Amino acid sequence: MVMEPHPPPKSFITRLNSAVANTRVGKRFKLAERNSSFTTELRAGTATFLTMAYILAVNASILADSGGPCGVSDCVPLCSDPSVPLSNCTGSTHRVIQPDESCKFDPVNPGYASCLETVRRDLIVATVASSLIGCVIMGAFANLPLALAPGMGANAYFAYTVVGFHGSGNVPYKSALAAVFLEGLIFLFISAIGFRAKLAKMVPKPVRISSSAGIGLFLAFIGLQNNQGIGLIGYSPSTLVTLGGCPSSSRISVAPVLATVNGTVALMPGGTVSSDIFCLRDRMESPTLWLGIVGFVIIAYCLVKNIKGAMIYGIVFVTTVSWFRHTKVTAFPDTNAGNLAHEYFKKVVDIHLIEKTAGALSFKDIGKGYFWEALVTFLYVDILDTTGTLYSMARFAGFTNENGDFEGQYFAFMSDAMSIVVGSLFGTSPVTAFIESSTGIREGGRTGLTALTVAMYFFLAFFFTPLLASIPSWAVGPPLILVGVLMMRAVVEIKWDDMRQAIPAFVTLILMPLTYSIAYGLIGGIGTYIVLHIWDWGEEILVKYGVLKRSGSVVVNGSHEQAIEDGSVKAVELDHV
């Protein structure tokens, strides 16, 4: 009698996956149907979080540059001699200086600086909360392995174009949040009625494709400067930008001033003082610049080797080195502000409650043009960026059908729209689906459990605000630059041999970083596209109403473009009636 060999015992992981797949949770998330497993989803969620966790520090740092709700009222009176305490500021040689608009710029008033630090901590928590809620909605309702967080590009537009550095823009922070809130409601409405995908397709294709690359250049440009980067690029009075990289002791601010006949100098009306962007000497000698370059090399090497969490490794290395005090690269200088920051850092674990940014919406500027310009731009970018990301990730995961639609599409659209509304209430810029979700999909993530795993990690981040708030700008700069590299891949889809596509695409791409505005890039690209195509559109109308008749097989611009793509038609002929 021959005994049949017993099958080898199943491992614990196999038994766990099998057990979960047969539970209500497993069936609800369709683990077996989508050929996935519980542990695979956990691994995919971990990979996704590692590749996008940089947003916690980066988003807070960028949005804090807007100044948040901080204003002149947060500045404190100072003595004319900074070394003398305000209580001793008496006598004929000293006077008390009351704060004005200049207190928000270098040298930044201590009261305003303290408010900014509180806002930065608020924004870390706001980023965590909005990302967590977005991921939960996406995972639980849409059942897709997509993670959400405040979008790169939209945050830069919010901080530097709409609100402006330390509130120097046209729209106050509170009004900008109201614009995001209203934009989110509109976005939610057009998603609910199914108009969202159609609206995205109305934008000219070359502008649609090049906008993501233009945003990438914009982010890289930010990462190369001092405020949110490594400081490689500085100001030049003759060429506008030039090589920088000098230490803070060699940098000064610049401002538009008026010199009078008697020799006095005054700030030009409407002018503002910049941050310390002008290098007087010692170019390329900043220790923090070289530490940032090391972080750049670490991230770049990890990306080349396809190592998961590349951004995190670079940020962690640079930040850890910067946490040592009494060094030339320390994030905690021997100043009052540095001492306070170090004391907060030493807490390590702390639950920070949002003090200033939650519910800070204001609708008082709703009647102004700048308010609606910001709202429309936010809406446009969200329609393009989020919708494009959702479709591309669905294709990457193999969810799309022959029409390009995918399961859970309606709830996916509703999820990110609802997240935008929630994010604005916490005080952050629009929330969007992250392209880094492709990392989790590559790891095998196929269900909403991947997104819920990411949400779990965001929840843990709630308790480590002191560490996240102590990440310096030269640690944030390298990932900004390399995110720009990743976003540039879109340019390969542009048909550069067709000038009617290439020129609008290039205008869109180049104007975004050089005007420091996503809105101006989009306006320039769409405007150029219209100018280059208006003749053909006019001919189409004339042919339609019989003013002109067609002699060849193809007449109008839309057909001409299709013919170029198909390679079937080379010319257009028209004869007058």
Side-chain angles (χ1 to χ4, degrees), residues 553-569:
S553 58
V554 178
V555 176
V556 300
N557 172 61
S559 300
H560 173 71
E561 285 189 342
Q562 186 62 45
I564 291 175
E565 293 181 4
D566 296 341
S568 58
V569 177

Side-chain angles (χ1 to χ4, degrees), residues 17 19 28 47 99 148 158 193 209 231 265 293 332 427 442 480 490 496 552:
N17 287 331
R28 164 66 178 80
L148 291 87
F158 181 100
I193 64 175
I209 295 172
V265 177
I293 290 175
F332 310 113
R442 192 182 298 118
L480 282 178
W496 293 104

Side-chain angles (χ1 to χ4, degrees), residues 23-97:
T23 62
R24 292 181 62 182
V25 172
K27 293 176 181 178
R28 164 66 178 80
F29 288 98
K30 302 181 179 180
L31 285 172
E33 184 178 329
R34 295 189 181 179
N35 197 28
S36 185
S37 66
F38 179 66
T39 54
T40 298
E41 297 295 313
L42 293 180
R43 185 176 69 248
T46 302
T48 298
F49 178 79
L50 286 175
T51 56
M52 66 180 291
Y54 68 89
I55 193 63
L56 296 175
V58 174
N59 186 62
S61 296
I62 289 176
L63 294 181
D65 268 356
S66 71
C70 300
V72 177
S73 60
D74 296 290
C75 298
V76 295
L78 297 174
C79 186
S80 56
D81 184 350
S83 62
V84 177
L86 189 63
S87 57
N88 297 331
C89 190
T90 57
S92 59
T93 58
H94 299 119
R95 60 187 179 87
V96 176
I97 301 176

Side-chain angles (χ1 to χ4, degrees), residues 199-211:
L199 203 58
K201 293 176 182 177
M202 293 172 60
V203 179
K205 184 179 179 182
V207 177
R208 191 166 64 241
I209 295 172
S210 61
S211 61

